[in-house]
């Protein structure tokens, strides 16, 4: 039906409201919807003749009712018509709500989704006191009114017709009676076009709900079901998105058990109605784009939901309301508790009376070793059974509800909205005994599954029994059996309590695990036939713990360490604030609880991996096994102070000097980069006999008093006391904003002012200033500054704490990029891959000047363990070709970032060398910093489990200085995620 034109609409607007303005047609179901630009902005809606007046009157009455409700600020304000004008309810004028429709907002993050749910819950509370005759009609779009769909199924072609029939058949068999649900007036149209979003300092928020033309009386849960239908579209994890909305709704208005159970059927009903209506309308008016706006997405969601188990979905929805996720979970747990004494022992003897060894295989476990150790099944088997022997036990136990880092293959990944959901939480109980150990049926049952799941880290031979007790049905699972177990049973066989049902299998036939049985209890099979999850994502933990109760309820093992206890991050943070310095900062608004590292990844306590693109200290990769090995060997032998002769110290110094220019001939070992720079300044003072130090603006050289005094990043920042009299600050070499020649001239002029005719000056610098914004100085920059310093008899210190050891790719040390020869080079904790070892390399002349009669002693700077580790780091850098890797990987990374820059103007500049890269975000087309956009990107990168950080004077430069082990695949992941974030609408606002 064609809508009213702009001219006629403008006339109605003037006649009924006395307003003249610019009208812009908006997409709508029937036309007649306009944005009005006058002194204010308005929304004008003109209903066609076929819409009953009673429905329009109900809409007006409802809006007026809500406008009077205190606290209801997210409903459009209705503008009354002029007095003495014959108005009609077909013409309605509302104040415009600024924002964008949810359809045009990305991303839909958890806070926004909860906000949507909360608004709908509050709206339900408000509408509980409203009624109107015009809302009492048979609304065919209402989710509970899906039963008309089968009568219209002829409009579909055969494939779609079959899909519709399959779902309507499912709905027919769902135990749902809409009449039993709480009823009231529903808003009726909480779709993604009618939810308006605005940006705030804390992120996107709901600005308002518009279009109340679908008010109807029905089950009050309809509004939530309608909203979820649209929220779940175009989501990789539609159930996860729905859960956040439900959490917000339930917090504002409590759902009943029956309402939680009704959500999926009502969502499905709305989807079927939507695609059927769209097909009917396409036949009548194929050119009406608005009528088809969601049909493709609706079909995609229908097919997405077909792959998921309805019972599991409902368990998630129940869990979001705080209900027991699995309806039978409590009953099964209670039956097992009450009947445990009558169960047959799984291993043939009572574990309640048996001493056991409980293994800690949690993410932060010291007993697991590194990832290479975990992959060594033979070695792991020796360790497990040796530990059991040492404890004098014949049974080892792996814990239930324990997140583990051992599940690393792609099969353990689930689609997540941002990062993949990693299945790490173990929902069975492991019993370690030798291969061949027999297993016995705890109670009568029927063989539901007997199958071999071959492959690395699979179940191997798997047995699942079904048990029917009283009015309950539940299941027990036995994984990692012997191949012989497969010939013992067939599906459907009856098993008697006490029957031998399986044998523990050896590796690799048991799925390539340490010999054990994975024992699990399930309250529902969730449509699985030949498999069942034994590990789940931490985000889904509470749901699965309800579906799969603790198997120890059947076994009765008594041990104080059997129950896994995960540290509460909030409690850790509170303890940290209580016992550590209050200004010891943490990363991110909600700090991460990191317990393990490996190569380029850090792992939180739940086993989730985070790609680390910011940690240059873990130079050759987190927890490198070669470093672990040499450290373990040396610390078991000797670690003492430096007053004794030791080969490790000399070998490390000699190896380090071989990487440096020949004029540097002497090494002093210390414990950190700050200490290295502190010592370097002390040496420079001894060599020049003067205190004056020149530094670059924005520089950071450490946290000792001496290094803070030459760190404008600190003394000009919050809590700083300004520039000391002994420090001269030179302009930062920001070549993106200032031409190369000007950058060098400005710095040279500032340096000459203090060097000409005055005492010698010490220059301390990073060759690629980091905290100043990952700057890349001009090619002649340091040559000019060095010449001025040397002419005045000064000393030059190159701070290589962040840039050394091959990170810049083209050279081993960043100062070599500029063809200068420092008098002193400082090296930080990357030398020890994070172990507290650092170094100061100096010329013979500086060393002699420092040898002024005062003893230099550093108790543990250069201790045997530190030097063994540092020497091994140098070997790894050389033997693994990490400098060349930094060059090649860095060039590819920067090329990819520059490709993004061409289409995303928020990227102002890409600069750096090797794996030391700066990504500056600016206002499009300018050099003006864009710290808000930069901060948004860092937060969103964290959502994708990528760790980044910002620096620079305006906190708008992303510093990329990852472990040198970063791979091309990991770099590609970073670039892909960044591209996605740059395209999000919340990035553009």
């Amino acid at each position: 039906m064609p809508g009213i034109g702009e001219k006629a609409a403008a006339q109605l607007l003037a006649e009924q409201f006395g307003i003249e303005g610019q009208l812009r047609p908006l997409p709508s179901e029937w036309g007649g919807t306009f944005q009005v630009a006058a002194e204010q902005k308005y929304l004008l809606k003109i209903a066609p003749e076929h819409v009953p007046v009673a429905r329009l009157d109900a809409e007006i009455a409802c809006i007026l009712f809500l406008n009077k409700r205190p606290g209801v600020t997210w409903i459009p304000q209705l503008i009354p018509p002029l007095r003495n004008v014959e108005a009609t309810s077909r013409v309605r004028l509302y104040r415009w709500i600024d924002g964008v429709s949810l359809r045009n907002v990305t991303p839909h993050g958890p806070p926004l989704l909860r906000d949507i749910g909360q608004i709908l819950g509050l709206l339900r509370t408000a509408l509980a006191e409203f009624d109107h005759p015009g809302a009492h009609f048979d609304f065919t779009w209402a989710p509970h009114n899906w039963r008309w769909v089968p009568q219209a199924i002829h409009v579909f072609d055969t494939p779609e017709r079959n899909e519709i029939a399959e779902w309507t058949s499912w709905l027919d068999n769902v135990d749902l009676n809409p009449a039993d649900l709480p009823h009231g007036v529903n808003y009726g149209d909480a779709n993604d076009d009618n939810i308006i979003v605005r940006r705030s300092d804390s992120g996107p928020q709901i600005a308002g709900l518009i279009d109340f033309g679908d008010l109807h009386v029905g089950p009050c849960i309809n509004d939530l079901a309608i909203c979820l239908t649209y929220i779940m579209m175009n989501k990789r994890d539609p159930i996860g998105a729905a859960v956040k909305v439900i959490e917000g709704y339930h917090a504002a208005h409590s759902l009943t058990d029956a309402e939680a159970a009704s959500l999926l059927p009502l969502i499905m009903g709305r989807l079927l109605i939507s695609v059927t209506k769209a097909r009917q309308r396409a036949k009548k008016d194929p050119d009406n784009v608005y009528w088809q706006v969601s049909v493709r997405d609706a079909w995609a969601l229908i097919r997405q939901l077909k792959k998921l188990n309805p019972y599991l979905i409902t368990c998630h929805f129940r869990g979001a309301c705080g209900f027991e996720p699995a309806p039978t979970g409590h009953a099964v747990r209670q039956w097992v508790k009450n009947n445990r004494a009558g169960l047959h022992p799984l291993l043939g003897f009572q574990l309640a009376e048996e001493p056991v060894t409980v293994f800690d295989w949690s993410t932060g476990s010291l007993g697991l070793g590194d990832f290479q150790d975990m992959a060594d099944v033979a070695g792991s088997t020796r360790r497990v059974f040796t530990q059991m022997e040492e404890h004098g036990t014949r049974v080892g136990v792996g814990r239930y509800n324990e997140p583990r880092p051992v599940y690393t293959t792609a099969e353990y990944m689930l689609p997540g909205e941002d990062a993949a959901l990693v299945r790490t939480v173990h929902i069975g109980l492991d019993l370690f005994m030798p291969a061949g150990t027999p297993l016995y049926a705890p109670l009568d049952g029927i063989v539901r599954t007997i199958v071999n799941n071959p492959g690395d880290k699979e179940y191997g031979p798997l047995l699942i029994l079904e048990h029917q007790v009283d009015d309950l049905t539940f299941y027990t699972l036995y994984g990692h059996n012997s191949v012989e177990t497969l010939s013992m049973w067939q599906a459907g066989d009856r098993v008697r309590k006490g029957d031998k049902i399986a044998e523990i299998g050896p590796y690799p036939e048991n799925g390539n695990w340490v010999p054990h049985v994975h024992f699990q209890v399930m309250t529902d099979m969730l449509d699985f036939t030949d498999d069942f999850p034994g590990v789940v994502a931490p985000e889904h933990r509470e749901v699965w713990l309800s579906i799969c109760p603790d198997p120890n309820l059947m076994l009765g093992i008594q041990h104080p360490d059997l129950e896994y206890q995960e540290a509460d991050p909030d409690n850790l943070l509170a303890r940290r604030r209580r016992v550590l310095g209050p200004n010891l900062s943490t990363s991110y608004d909600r700090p991460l609880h990191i317990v393990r590292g490996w190569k380029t990844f850090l792992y939180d306590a739940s086993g989730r991996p985070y790609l680390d693109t910011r940690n240059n200290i873990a130079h050759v990769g987190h927890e490198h096994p070669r470093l672990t090995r040499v450290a373990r060997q040396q610390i078991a032998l000797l670690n003492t102070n430096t007053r004794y002769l030791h080969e490790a110290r000399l070998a490390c110094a000699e190896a380090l000097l071989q990487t440096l220019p020949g004029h540097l001939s002497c090494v002093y070992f210390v414990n950190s980069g700050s200490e290295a720079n502190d010592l370097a300044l002390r040496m420079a003072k001894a060599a020049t006999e003067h205190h004056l130090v020149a530094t670059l603006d924005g520089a950071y050289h450490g946290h000792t008093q001496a290094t803070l005094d030459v760190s404008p990043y600190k003394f000009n920042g919050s809590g700083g006391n300004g520039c000391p009299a002994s420090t001269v600050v030179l302009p930062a070499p920001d070549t993106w904003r200032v031409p190369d020649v000007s950058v060098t001239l400005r710095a040279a002029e500032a340096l000459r002012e203090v060097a000409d005719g005055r005492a010698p000056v010490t220059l301390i610098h990073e060759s690629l200033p980091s905290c100043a914004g990952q700057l890349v100085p001009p090619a002649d920059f340091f040559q000019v500054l060095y010449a001025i310093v040397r002419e005045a008899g000064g000393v030059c210190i190159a701070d290589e704490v962040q840039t050394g050891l091959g990170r810049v790719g083209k050279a081993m040390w960043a100062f070599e990029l500029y063809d200068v020869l420092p008098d002193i080079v400082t090296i930080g904790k990357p030398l020890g891959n994070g172990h507290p070892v650092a170094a100061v390399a100096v010329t013979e002349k500086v060393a002699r000047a420092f040898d002024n009669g005062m003893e230099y002693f550093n108790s543990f700077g250069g201790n045997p363990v530190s030097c063994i580790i540092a020497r091994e780091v140098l070997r790894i850098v050389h033997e693994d070709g990490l400098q060349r890797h930094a060059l090649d990987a860095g060039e590819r990374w920067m090329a990819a970032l520059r490709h993004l820059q061409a289409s995303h103007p928020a990227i102002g500049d890409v600069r750096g060398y090797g794996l030391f890269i700066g990504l500056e975000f600016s206002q499009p087309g300018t050099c003006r910093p864009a710290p808000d956009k930069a901060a948004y990107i860092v937060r969103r990168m964290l959502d994708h489990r990528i760790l980044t950080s910002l620096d620079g004077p305006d906190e708008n430069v992303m510093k990329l200085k990852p472990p040198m082990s970063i791979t091309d695949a990991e770099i590609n992941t970073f670039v892909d995620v960044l591209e996605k974030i740059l395209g999000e609408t919340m990035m553009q606002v």
Side-chain angles (χ1 to χ4, degrees):
M1 176 182 292
I4 189 170
E6 291 174 51
K7 185 175 181 181
Q11 183 176 347
L12 286 171
L13 178 67
E15 289 174 354
Q16 293 203 22
F17 301 96
I19 294 174
E20 295 183 0
Q22 194 75 25
L23 270 65
R24 179 170 65 89
L26 299 176
S28 63
E29 183 176 359
W30 301 107
T33 303
F34 303 87
Q35 183 191 67
V36 178
E39 291 184 5
Q40 300 181 41
K41 284 197 291 187
Y42 302 93
L43 177 69
L44 177 65
K45 293 176 68 67
I46 304 171
E49 293 296 328
H50 75 275
V51 178
V53 172
R55 287 183 59 180
L56 301 174
D57 290 342
E59 176 185 346
I60 291 173
C62 182
I63 293 294
L64 290 173
F65 170 81
L66 292 172
N67 285 166
K68 296 175 183 177
R69 295 277 299 189
V72 179
T73 59
W74 22 265
I75 298 299
Q77 290 283 321
L78 186 68
I79 305 299
L82 296 172
R83 291 187 178 183
N84 303 319
V85 168
E86 188 176 344
T88 170
S89 55
R90 295 196 182 279
V91 182
R92 289 141 292 144
L93 185 67
Y94 299 97
R95 291 197 192 281
W96 182 263
I97 296 178
D98 280 323
V100 293
S101 67
L102 183 66
R103 178 188 297 277
N104 297 314
V105 170
T106 53
H108 294 173
L112 176 61
L113 295 175
R114 290 191 189 96
D115 194 23
I116 292 169
Q118 183 178 32
I119 292 295
L120 288 177
L122 293 173
L123 179 60
R124 174 173 173 178
T125 300
L127 288 177
E129 299 178 23
F130 174 77
D131 197 4
H132 191 279
H136 291 259
F137 67 100
D138 189 24
F139 185 44
T140 57
W141 279 92
H144 69 286
N145 280 336
W146 63 271
R147 292 190 180 277
W148 63 265
V149 170
Q151 281 71 54
I153 203 169
H154 60 275
V155 299
F156 292 102
D157 296 330
T158 300
E160 291 177 339
R161 185 181 302 175
N162 291 340
E163 290 181 84
I164 295 290
E166 184 177 346
W167 278 110
T168 54
S169 175
W170 177 79
L171 283 170
D172 276 331
N173 289 292
V174 169
D175 183 19
L176 172 66
N177 183 2
D180 294 338
L181 299 172
H183 275 52
V185 174
N186 281 268
Y187 162 44
D189 209 7
N191 66 50
D192 47 3
D193 282 320
N194 293 336
I195 299 172
I196 307 301
V197 180
R198 64 165 176 259
R199 187 171 184 176
S200 72
D201 291 340
S202 59
Q205 293 180 340
I206 302 304
L209 304 175
I210 61 172
D211 194 351
F212 278 67
D214 285 345
L215 288 171
H216 67 277
V217 171
C220 296
I221 196 65
N222 273 354
D223 274 342
L224 180 57
I226 292 167
C227 178
L228 294 178
T229 303
Y230 294 92
I231 289 293
M232 293 165 69
M233 293 179 188
N234 297 305
K235 298 290 193 301
R236 283 188 287 272
D237 179 17
I239 308 307
V243 160
K244 301 306 176 188
V245 179
I246 296 168
E247 287 174 352
Y249 188 101
H250 186 72
H253 190 106
S254 297
L255 292 168
T256 66
D257 248 327
E259 286 180 316
S262 74
L263 276 172
L264 181 59
L266 292 175
I267 290 167
M268 207 63 239
R270 176 66 177 217
L271 282 169
L272 298 183
I273 290 169
S274 294
V275 297
T276 306
K277 287 275 193 183
R279 179 57 61 90
Q280 289 175 328
R281 289 171 166 181
K283 290 182 176 294
K284 291 182 180 179
D285 187 0
D287 296 328
N288 190 322
V289 177
Y290 182 84
W291 283 352
Q292 307 301 317
V293 68
S294 295
V295 66
R296 183 179 300 175
D297 297 338
W299 272 114
L301 180 57
I302 287 170
R303 288 156 186 161
Q304 210 173 356
L305 292 175
K306 186 177 181 180
K307 299 175 183 178
L308 304 176
N309 177 263
Y311 179 82
L312 179 58
I313 294 173
T314 297
C315 287
H316 281 283
F317 290 174
R318 287 173 55 85
C321 300
F323 304 146
E324 168 92 36
T328 61
H330 174 75
V332 170
R333 289 194 303 272
Q334 197 59 49
W335 186 92
V336 172
K337 286 179 182 178
N338 294 340
N339 293 275
R340 184 168 65 199
L343 301 178
H344 191 281
L346 176 60
L347 296 175
F349 52 88
Q350 290 293 347
L351 287 172
E353 303 164 3
E354 183 79 14
V356 299
T357 298
V358 173
F359 294 104
D360 177 1
W361 278 15
S362 63
T363 310
S365 167
L366 296 174
L368 281 170
D370 60 31
F371 281 88
Q372 287 182 341
D373 296 328
M374 297 176 211
D376 178 10
V377 181
S380 296
T381 299
R382 287 193 297 271
R383 288 195 302 273
V384 163
F385 285 95
T386 297
Q387 190 172 344
M388 289 163 55
E389 184 178 348
E390 290 172 350
H391 290 175
T393 62
R394 54 175 171 165
V395 180
V397 181
R399 297 186 292 189
Y400 169 77
N401 187 27
E402 178 182 69
R404 299 173 173 178
V406 298
Y407 309 109
T408 56
T409 58
E411 288 75 13
Y412 290 99
M413 305 293 175
L414 296 173
E417 212 48 51
D418 293 321
L421 304 180
V422 186
R423 296 195 294 130
T424 62
V425 179
H426 188 243
I427 55 171
L429 200 73
D430 293 332
L431 298 176
F432 294 89
M433 287 196 76
T437 298
L439 306 175
Y440 302 93
L443 70 163
D444 294 349
I446 298 171
V447 175
R448 176 69 178 259
T449 298
I450 179 74
V451 66
N452 193 7
N453 285 329
D456 190 43
K457 304 311 174 193
E458 293 284 354
Y459 274 125
L462 171 68
L463 172 68
I464 300 176
L465 300 181
E466 177 180 323
H467 308 285
Q468 295 180 357
V469 293
D470 300 336
D471 58 348
L472 289 174
T473 298
F474 68 94
Y475 308 83
T476 53
L477 178 151
Y478 312 83
H480 313 306
N481 304 305
S482 66
V483 171
E484 287 78 8
T485 301
L486 299 172
S487 62
M488 296 172 61
W489 304 102
Q490 292 184 353
D493 285 352
R494 289 195 169 275
V495 173
R496 297 299 178 190
K497 182 172 74 171
D499 285 351
K500 179 182 173 180
I501 54 173
E503 293 176 348
I504 292 178
Y507 66 86
E509 70 184 52
N510 68 352
N512 206 26
W513 296 94
V514 175
H516 73 285
V517 59
H518 172 96
F519 178 54
Q520 188 167 321
V521 179
M522 298 95 76
T523 61
D524 194 282
M525 281 296 291
L526 305 176
D527 292 335
F528 285 95
T529 55
D530 296 336
D531 197 4
F532 197 90
V535 187
V536 300
E539 293 83 356
H540 301 160
R541 174 186 245 146
E542 297 308 317
V543 170
W544 281 96
L545 294 186
S546 176
I547 295 170
C548 299
D550 186 353
N552 196 44
L553 294 172
M554 296 183 71
L555 301 178
I557 299 171
Q558 304 295 314
H559 196 285
D561 299 329
L562 188 60
E563 185 177 349
Y564 171 74
Q565 297 288 341
E566 188 163 304
D568 177 13
D570 291 335
N571 182 51
L572 289 177
L573 184 60
R575 287 171 57 198
R576 175 190 173 104
R577 288 170 174 166
R578 187 168 62 249
V579 300
L580 302 181
N583 55 350
L584 181 65
S585 63
T586 57
S587 296
Y588 306 111
D589 295 335
R590 184 170 178 80
L592 301 173
H593 181 199
I594 299 296
V595 298
R596 179 177 287 270
W598 182 248
K599 294 185 178 179
T600 325
F601 288 90
L602 293 171
Y603 295 79
D604 69 13
S606 292
R608 289 174 285 234
Y610 292 79
L611 177 61
D612 185 0
T613 69
R614 61 187 286 186
N615 198 336
N616 65 292
I617 292 177
H619 191 69
V620 299
H622 291 288
E623 290 32 84
H624 198 292
R626 285 174 60 175
L627 302 183
T628 304
R629 183 176 63 252
V630 299
R632 184 186 299 124
Q633 291 170 346
Q634 182 59 44
I635 205 166
L637 183 65
L638 173 71
N639 199 29
T640 189
N641 67 45
T642 57
R643 291 196 183 278
Y644 308 102
L645 298 177
H646 201 281
E647 172 69 22
R649 190 174 305 114
L650 302 177
C652 185
E654 290 165 350
L656 185 59
L657 288 172
Q658 287 177 7
T659 71
L660 290 159
H663 74 294
L664 297 166
S665 59
C666 185
V667 173
Y668 294 77
F669 286 111
V670 290
N671 300 289
S672 71
S674 293
E675 191 179 347
N677 282 328
D678 189 283
L679 178 60
L681 292 168
R682 181 178 160 195
M683 289 175 161
K685 177 184 173 185
T688 62
E689 298 183 347
H690 288 279
H691 294 274
L692 194 62
V693 180
T695 187
L696 297 175
D697 198 8
Y700 172 68
H701 294 290
H703 60 76
T704 69
Q705 189 57 58
T707 54
L708 285 173
D709 284 348
V710 296
S711 298
Y713 179 79
K714 288 294 186 181
F715 65 61
N716 284 333
S718 177
N721 295 318
C723 185
S726 59
T727 300
V728 176
V729 178
L730 309 180
D734 185 350
T735 54
W736 185 50
R737 290 178 172 81
V738 181
D740 288 10
V741 173
S742 300
V743 161
T744 304
L745 286 175
R746 287 169 57 192
E749 289 171 0
L751 185 57
R752 283 196 182 96
E753 282 187 25
V754 296
D756 288 355
R758 292 178 58 182
V761 63
T762 293
L763 172 66
I764 185 169
H765 69 88
E766 294 175 287
S767 301
L768 299 171
S770 177
C771 290
Q774 304 289 88
L775 301 178
V776 177
D780 65 342
F781 185 78
F782 289 110
Q783 292 176 1
V784 171
L785 297 187
Y786 272 46
I788 296 170
V789 171
R790 295 267 165 74
E791 188 178 341
V795 168
C796 297
I797 303 170
D799 178 345
E800 292 283 341
V801 170
Q802 296 196 53
T803 54
L805 295 166
R807 175 166 292 280
V808 296
K810 287 188 175 181
M812 186 68 169
W813 307 97
F815 67 79
E816 294 176 303
L817 298 170
Y818 293 92
D819 198 22
V820 293
L821 295 175
D823 303 288
I824 303 173
V825 174
T826 59
I827 305 155
K829 284 190 287 294
L831 180 62
N833 212 54
H835 189 84
V837 58
V840 182
V842 300
T843 63
E844 184 180 353
K845 181 179 178 181
V846 170
R848 283 201 309 269
F850 188 53
D851 185 16
N852 59 6
M854 180 185 292
E855 176 199 28
Y856 170 73
F857 176 65
N858 190 314
S859 295
F860 264 73
N863 67 77
V865 173
S866 295
C867 287
I868 285 286
I869 292 173
R871 177 69 187 93
E872 195 69 10
V873 167
L874 292 170
R875 285 195 183 99
I876 293 168
V877 169
H878 173 69
E879 293 170 9
D880 290 359
L882 292 185
Q883 181 181 332
R884 178 68 196 202
H885 173 67
L887 175 64
D888 295 342
E891 287 180 349
R892 286 191 290 270
W893 202 348
M894 282 191 280
L897 293 173
R898 287 178 179 134
H899 180 74
L900 283 186
Q901 182 183 18
S903 53
H904 295 282
I907 301 177
D909 192 31
V910 179
R911 52 183 178 255
Y913 282 96
L915 292 175
F916 193 82
I917 301 170
L919 192 59
E920 179 152 359
F921 298 98
S922 64
Q923 304 297 339
T926 75
C927 292
R928 294 196 308 274
D932 290 347
K933 293 183 186 296
Y936 174 84
I937 292 169
V938 168
R939 288 194 301 270
R940 289 291 291 133
M941 294 295 270
L942 178 63
D943 292 338
H944 288 79
R945 291 206 305 271
I946 296 177
L947 305 179
T948 60
S949 62
L950 298 174
D951 238 320
D954 300 291
E955 292 287 317
N956 69 314
V957 180
M958 184 180 289
K959 300 168 65 170
L960 302 177
K961 45 191 184 72
M964 299 271 276
S965 57
I966 194 167
T967 66
D968 284 348
E970 291 157 3
I971 289 171
N972 291 341
T973 295
F974 177 96
V975 174
D976 290 345
V977 169
L978 178 60
E979 182 175 26
K980 175 189 172 187
I981 294 170
L982 288 168
E984 291 175 349
T985 57
M986 285 296 105
M987 177 70 190
Q988 317 307 323
V989 177

